[in-house]
Every structure is written in C-alpha cells, then in structure tokens.
Amino acid sequence: IEALPVPSTVEADFALRVSGDSMIDSGVLDGDVVYIQQVTEANAGDMVVALIGEGEQCEATLKYFLPDNGRIILRPANAAFVDIVVNEGDNFALVGKVVGLHRSF
C-alpha cells in the first residue's frame, strides 16, 4: 500500500494505492486508490485498513472488519485468500475505513 495525496474535493484523511487482489470481488483492484477516513473504531462489515504485526513484520492490509466474540476477523473479498484472525493480545491497529475509491484507466 502506497500513501498518496487526497484531492480537496474528497472528504478523507489520506489515500492509499492498493497492491494485490484480495478485495477484487468487491471491485477493489490492484492499483486502485482508496480514500481513508482515520478512525479508532469500525462497524461490522466496514472495509478497513489495519496494521498487523510489529517492527519489520508489520503489514498494512485492506479487508472487511468483522468483530467476533473478543476477536476480529479481517475478511478478504477473494475466495483464493483466507481470513486473518486477530486475537486479543495480537499486534493490531485499526487505521481507518474506506470512504471512497478512484481508478485510473
């Protein structure tokens, strides 16, 4: 994921370029730009950016947010990918939720 400037016409805190195809079944393609509203909480079903891991092992991911009995499931929109399950105590940070998308042709 690559950080990009946000146009003044978009109500978002930052923009990221998507890398990968874990969200293709939701219409988010490799190379698309997603606009993110910075939040500390999300609703079930929100498409979010999250940080998982720490240090050099820290990874940003774009997935659907699904709280589940004390844990969080980050679900891709591509059957070729598996859920990421975040348990209490895991290194996890919710960065923000997707509020828009831009695709260049």
Side-chain angles (χ1 to χ4, degrees), residues 1 19 21-23 46 48-53 57-68 70-88 90-94:
I1 296 178
S19 176
D21 57 1
S22 69
M23 299 302 285
D46 284 346
V48 301
V49 173
L51 296 176
I52 301 169
Q57 301 301 317
C58 187
E59 178 182 333
T61 190
L62 178 69
K63 303 284 184 283
Y64 283 113
F65 179 83
L66 302 167
D68 181 50
R71 64 184 187 161
I72 297 167
I73 297 172
L74 298 171
R75 179 155 294 154
N78 181 336
F81 288 76
V82 298
D83 290 346
I84 297 170
V85 178
V86 180
N87 294 298
E88 190 173 326
D90 288 351
N91 288 314
F92 168 83
L94 180 62

